[in-house]
Amino acid sequence: MAKPHFIIKNNMNKSSVRHIYMKDILTHDILRDVCTRITGQPDYDVAFVDNQYQDERLSKSFNKGRLATLIYDDKSAFISFSEKFIEGRDSAVQSVATAFNIFYQSNASNKELYYYFLGSGDRFETDYFYSVYRQMQTIGFQFLNPEVLSAPVISFSSIEDLIFSRRFTSKKNKSNNSSYVTKEKSKEIEIYGKTYGANKYDAAMLSFTSSVLAQAQQQHITLYEILDGNLKHMPDSCLKSLDLMGNVDVVSTNLEFEKNQFENNNSLRSPRYRVNLLDRVGLKHCPLCHCEIPELIQAAHVWPVHMIKKQPLPFDEQFSHAINGENGIWLCENHHKLFDENMITFDRHGKLDIHTSDSNEKKFILKITEEDTLPGPYHSELFFKYLELRNSSI
């Protein structure tokens, strides 16, 4: 039987500057360990190759994603390697998303996807990285040496599980969420993905994971690409994987498109507005009744769009007010409707005011309302200015 054969692109990102290559990192002991764990035998051949290497079983970009390919019997094993020392979370996410694309799009008929830890320690075990590991396992990565982690990695079981995890990590560290996943209806999943800079790979991993989970539950996904100026869409390789997955619609939300929607409608269902609100106060949660069922939570404008459009302001300034995250509150359907009808509002300290003379209506409002003051994350000078503008028209 032929020896298992590694094919590894020698150059890495910035190898010409740092003078560090894959052959410097993947020592004989590491490759032997990888080979043994995958094939059961320690002997192997290895070829560190250049950009011109071609193999029909491999992607043309097989060198990316800190990736080695091990060919044995009739199988192709794709192995992505961690960094030895964590320098930043973005590079780690970037490499695994790229590795997944190469694996998923490979023509190999009998293929497997693995991850091997080259380092260990606290920096590998942050809440953020465990969330990434869970996403990786959900989409098909197998961890070759999971014993380096102090806790097991558990795949996500559902979209709801993923949303809950993102909510948990966001509460511990708001910077952990550069992209968001939520539900609009029971079968409709929405992802708001910031696709500029390193955020695009976090958005890609979130989309891959959601796609796998949604397939099991027969749910459909809309990925809103949140573009910024002239910055790019999600990488074509990621978009190709999502297209192959078959249950993700990608909608690019550039400013010109949203401005057109604002100009032609007196209400605004703007992905950018929702992202701004998510960035400001976190995932969907009604602060009055603590409802966290995402299908029931809506983004409520404080200073309504129809009022903004009546102001003698330049168009761009009107639009800026309409998508400002400080001009919004997450409210459940009940409280949103009450707010729209001006049966409830808030004073300049964020305290609830009830505007009805009907005792039964007031009794019902009090019954469904657990909190009478908006929490601290909503409090800002501009938010209260928007409240003042709203209240002055009532």
Side-chain angles (χ1 to χ4, degrees):
M1 183 174 63
K3 287 183 181 180
H5 181 62
F6 282 104
I7 304 170
I8 305 169
K9 174 66 173 65
N10 198 28
N11 283 342
M12 298 189 302
N13 186 31
K14 297 183 179 180
S15 283
S16 60
V17 176
R18 297 179 178 178
H19 303 293
I20 300 175
Y21 299 86
M22 287 294 279
K23 67 180 180 181
D24 301 317
I25 296 172
L26 300 183
T27 65
H28 169 66
D29 287 343
I30 290 172
L31 292 178
R32 180 175 60 188
D33 187 41
V34 170
C35 186
T36 302
R37 290 174 185 260
I38 293 176
T39 71
Q41 58 181 4
D43 294 332
Y44 64 89
D45 290 327
V46 60
F48 288 95
V49 300
D50 60 24
N51 288 324
Q52 304 305 313
Y53 185 85
Q54 296 292 325
D55 189 303
E56 64 180 7
R57 290 165 294 188
L58 306 178
S59 162
K60 292 181 180 179
S61 303
F62 78 96
N63 54 305
K64 299 178 181 179
R66 298 177 63 87
L67 194 67
T69 305
L70 179 62
I71 298 174
Y72 67 104
D73 298 336
D74 62 342
K75 299 179 181 179
S76 298
F78 294 77
I79 309 104
S80 185
F81 293 87
S82 77
E83 297 171 308
K84 190 170 184 180
F85 304 101
I86 297 293
E87 296 180 359
R89 74 181 197 183
D90 293 332
S91 59
V93 173
Q94 178 175 334
S95 67
V96 296
T98 303
F100 176 79
N101 288 330
I102 296 168
F103 162 79
Y104 198 74
Q105 297 169 31
S106 166
N107 293 325
S109 58
N110 193 352
K111 56 187 179 180
E112 302 159 325
L113 181 61
Y114 296 98
Y115 192 75
Y116 188 90
F117 290 100
L118 294 177
S120 62
D122 292 344
R123 298 201 69 178
F124 286 84
E125 301 200 43
T126 64
D127 290 331
Y128 175 79
F129 275 114
Y130 263 106
S131 177
V132 173
Y133 301 151
R134 294 187 68 190
Q135 291 180 64
M136 290 168 62
Q137 187 160 284
T138 301
I139 65 177
F141 280 88
Q142 301 176 61
F143 294 97
L144 283 171
N145 54 342
E147 68 274 7
V148 305
L149 301 176
S150 60
V153 177
I154 301 173
S155 301
F156 288 107
S157 60
S158 64
I159 288 288
E160 291 76 14
D161 187 17
L162 178 61
I163 292 173
F164 177 83
S165 173
R166 301 286 285 193
R167 184 186 301 280
F168 174 77
T169 56
S170 177
K171 285 180 179 179
K172 297 193 72 173
N173 186 348
K174 192 174 180 180
S175 67
N176 280 337
N177 277 354
S178 58
S179 295
Y180 304 92
V181 57
T182 187
K183 294 171 71 177
E184 182 65 16
K185 298 179 181 178
S186 61
K187 296 293 185 181
E188 296 181 14
I189 312 304
E190 294 183 337
I191 297 174
Y192 298 91
K194 297 179 183 177
T195 55
Y196 43 90
N199 294 324
K200 58 182 173 284
Y201 292 103
D202 179 65
M205 286 295 293
L206 188 60
S207 301
F208 298 154
T209 306
S210 298
S211 176
V212 169
L213 295 171
Q215 287 170 3
Q217 299 173 320
Q218 296 184 324
Q219 296 168 312
H220 187 267
I221 298 169
T222 301
L223 165 63
Y224 294 99
E225 289 186 293
I226 308 300
L227 309 182
D228 190 15
N230 294 322
L231 295 171
K232 296 180 179 179
H233 298 258
M234 186 179 289
D236 287 343
S237 58
C238 297
L239 292 175
K240 182 176 180 180
S241 292
L242 291 173
D243 183 58
L244 290 171
M245 288 178 155
N247 63 343
V248 181
D249 285 337
V250 180
V251 178
S252 296
T253 60
N254 59 60
L255 283 174
E256 290 308 313
F257 172 81
E258 294 210 29
K259 285 180 179 179
N260 183 64
Q261 295 296 306
F262 172 72
E263 187 173 19
N264 292 290
N265 296 280
N266 279 330
S267 61
L268 185 65
R269 192 179 182 277
S270 160
R272 192 172 297 267
Y273 171 61
R274 290 174 173 232
V275 165
N276 291 340
L277 187 53
L278 287 162
D279 281 342
R280 181 169 176 253
V281 298
L283 296 177
K284 289 182 172 183
H285 169 264
C286 180
L288 300 181
C289 65
H290 300 303
C291 176
E292 292 185 345
I293 302 172
E295 297 95 320
L296 302 183
I297 309 299
Q298 302 169 343
H301 274 90
V302 177
W303 195 24
V305 170
H306 72 273
M307 292 184 185
I308 295 172
K309 294 179 71 172
K310 291 178 181 178
Q311 305 306 308
L313 299 171
F315 175 82
D316 282 352
E317 188 174 340
Q318 291 181 346
F319 178 70
S320 178
H321 288 306
I323 65 169
N324 195 316
E326 296 194 79
N327 186 18
I329 316 174
W330 291 123
L331 292 174
C332 69
E333 290 183 347
N334 275 338
H335 284 112
H336 190 182
K337 184 62 175 176
L338 291 166
F339 191 56
D340 282 350
E341 296 296 328
N342 297 318
M343 296 179 71
I344 63 171
T345 187
F346 305 90
D347 67 17
R348 62 188 182 90
H349 302 294
K351 189 171 179 62
L352 181 70
D353 281 337
I354 300 175
H355 296 278
T356 177
S357 58
D358 187 302
S359 60
N360 288 328
E361 291 177 351
K362 185 172 184 178
K363 182 178 179 180
F364 174 77
I365 293 171
L366 291 172
K367 183 177 180 179
I368 66 169
T369 304
E370 296 184 29
E371 304 290 343
D372 64 359
T373 305
L374 291 173
Y378 283 101
H379 294 204
S380 73
E381 183 178 348
L382 183 54
F383 174 79
F384 289 121
K385 178 64 176 177
Y386 284 132
L387 266 178
E388 181 182 338
L389 289 166
R390 179 193 184 90
N391 292 339
S392 66
S393 67
I394 298 175

